[in-house]
Amino acid sequence: MFKRLVIVASTLTFVAATAAACGGGSGGGGTSLGFSQVGAESGWRTANTQSIQDSAKDAGINLKFADAQQKQENQIKAIRSFIQQKVDVIAFSPVVESGWDTVLKEAKDAKIPVILTDRAVDSKDPSYYATFLGSDFVEEGRKAAQWVLDTYKGSNETVNIAELQGTTGSAPAIDRKKGFLDLIGADPKFKIVASQTGDFTRAKGKEVMQAFLASHQKIDVLFAHNDDMALGAIQAIEEAGLEPGKDIKIVSIDGVHDALQALVDGKENYVVECNPLLGPQLMDLVKKVKAGQPVDHRIVTTETTFTPEQAAAALPQRKY
Ligand code: GYE
């Protein structure tokens, strides 16, 4: 009992100290942020959630976190509940691009600023959100395609490509496909022979790859819109008695630990990075937006690419 009292007392002291430290105008003290996350579908998403939770804590921002389990209706419900609770700022990562105008207008009418993180919406009215912080997904698709072009440079043979798409209707699935096709489409030797959604998960990636292998004799390259689907596909390829990275070359997007390991193990060939560690930048934006300071309407995160050699060098420091 005594021990418990001591813990409670020291926790209270800590909370008071934190509140005092963050109580100034530029701190997060007293700021509430409602955040609606897509789900927990991938390694990228887990790292993104962790980053947001950690940096909210560091910034002294009171985070109300809701997991939508990949369902738009859950995100809309969460946003409405944040409006009712009168949070200072709402942020969310929209699972799909369309269908947000009504709820975004509700937030605007309630004078609660909205920040988009990671994924975009297709709303025509730019005043529905203060800023969009996230990657350039078209560019990521182009980088993946550039690697395919470089790999088959000088060869005249047909290259059969299978594509595992992300969640149907999501910004990264739409944009990565577009960026990839922008470059690949210019040369008729590249043929996309199979293309289906694997919903950004390992399980679906494996299942869809099994179906691709059953219905296609020759697949030279797999382009997966994220690492988790590629990792699932690697299992399917191995179970079919083929060697991933050799019989079928693989390029995917994200740069999570397991994919870098697959590169080092020779089971993948190239990974395009998409940075999930958006938390610190998001918390800065939350404070600025709450204080009525101007922010850029679009903030693009910077990212790299990984060959097996670069993956080997990066792996020891990779936190996710
Ligand atoms: O690539 C994927 C995740 O929106 C950028 O969502 C994100 C994507 C990421 O499920 O792994």
Side-chain angles (χ1 to χ4, degrees):
M1 178 63 176
F2 176 67
K3 205 167 171 195
R4 194 183 300 162
L5 274 180
V6 171
I7 294 172
V8 170
S10 57
T11 311
L12 284 178
T13 316
F14 172 70
V15 170
T18 316
C22 302
S26 61
T31 302
S32 56
L33 167 67
F35 185 85
S36 167
Q37 180 60 291
V38 170
E41 74 283 3
S42 65
W44 189 100
R45 188 66 53 198
T46 308
N48 179 247
T49 293
Q50 191 69 49
S51 169
I52 286 163
Q53 290 175 335
D54 289 351
S55 41
K57 213 185 230 168
D58 290 348
I61 288 174
N62 171 19
L63 175 68
K64 296 172 196 295
F65 184 90
D67 177 336
Q69 301 185 335
Q70 300 237 71
K71 291 203 179 73
Q72 181 173 33
E73 63 199 80
N74 291 344
Q75 289 201 295
I76 292 175
K77 262 190 222 150
I79 294 169
R80 290 202 166 123
S81 136
F82 296 147
I83 295 173
Q84 254 174 12
Q85 295 173 60
K86 298 191 168 46
V87 296
D88 294 309
V89 180
I90 292 172
F92 76 114
S93 175
V95 58
V96 290
E97 279 191 341
S98 307
W100 299 103
D101 284 23
T102 307
V103 75
L104 287 176
K105 185 170 182 305
E106 288 167 22
K108 187 180 170 185
D109 291 346
K111 300 197 168 41
I112 301 178
V114 171
I115 298 176
L116 302 179
T117 76
D118 159 34
R119 297 186 183 177
V121 297
D122 63 4
S123 299
K124 296 284 170 291
D125 185 344
S127 75
Y128 280 160
Y129 57 94
T131 182
F132 164 35
L133 166 69
S135 311
D136 181 341
F137 300 135
V138 175
E139 187 55 28
E140 290 170 351
R142 293 172 69 92
K143 285 179 184 168
Q146 188 59 54
W147 177 81
V148 177
L149 295 186
D150 292 346
T151 303
Y152 291 94
K153 204 171 163 185
S155 150
N156 291 323
E157 278 173 42
T158 301
V159 179
N160 287 345
I161 302 174
E163 179 186 30
L164 279 169
Q165 297 181 37
T167 300
T168 306
S170 71
I174 295 168
D175 291 353
R176 287 172 182 168
K177 184 180 188 62
K178 180 181 181 306
F180 191 78
L181 283 181
D182 277 353
L183 265 67
I184 290 293
D187 186 338
K189 83 176 175 206
F190 296 109
K191 295 211 160 33
I192 305 215
V193 293
S195 181
Q196 236 182 281
T197 180
D199 213 10
F200 281 132
T201 68
R202 239 178 242 217
K204 268 286 185 68
K206 179 174 181 185
E207 193 183 304
V208 176
M209 191 67 205
Q210 280 169 338
F212 285 171
L213 289 167
S215 52
H216 295 275
Q217 281 296 313
K218 180 178 171 280
I219 296 173
D220 302 300
V221 173
L222 170 67
F223 167 44
H225 287 192
N226 83 338
D227 288 346
D228 278 76
M229 293 190 293
L231 292 161
I234 286 173
Q235 289 176 19
I237 293 167
E238 285 179 330
E239 285 171 19
L242 297 169
E243 275 195 82
K246 296 192 182 66
D247 296 323
I248 299 178
K249 294 195 180 5
I250 303 177
V251 50
S252 66
I253 301 175
D254 274 353
V256 298
H257 187 279
D258 291 0
L260 298 194
Q261 188 62 54
L263 275 178
V264 171
D265 296 343
K267 296 181 178 189
E268 261 209 73
N269 306 84
Y270 198 64
V271 169
V272 176
E273 187 184 42
C274 178
N275 185 7
L277 307 180
L278 304 177
Q281 265 177 299
L282 173 60
M283 297 314 146
D284 271 2
L285 288 167
V286 167
K287 287 179 197 171
K288 284 194 176 136
V289 162
K290 188 195 168 194
Q293 290 168 14
V295 294
D296 289 342
H297 202 245
R298 172 76 170 110
I299 299 166
V300 184
T301 44
T302 46
E303 319 180 304
T304 184
T305 53
F306 295 98
T307 60
E309 296 72 31
Q310 290 162 329
L315 253 182
Q317 293 87 259
R318 204 70 174 168
K319 296 224 170 49
Y320 57 90

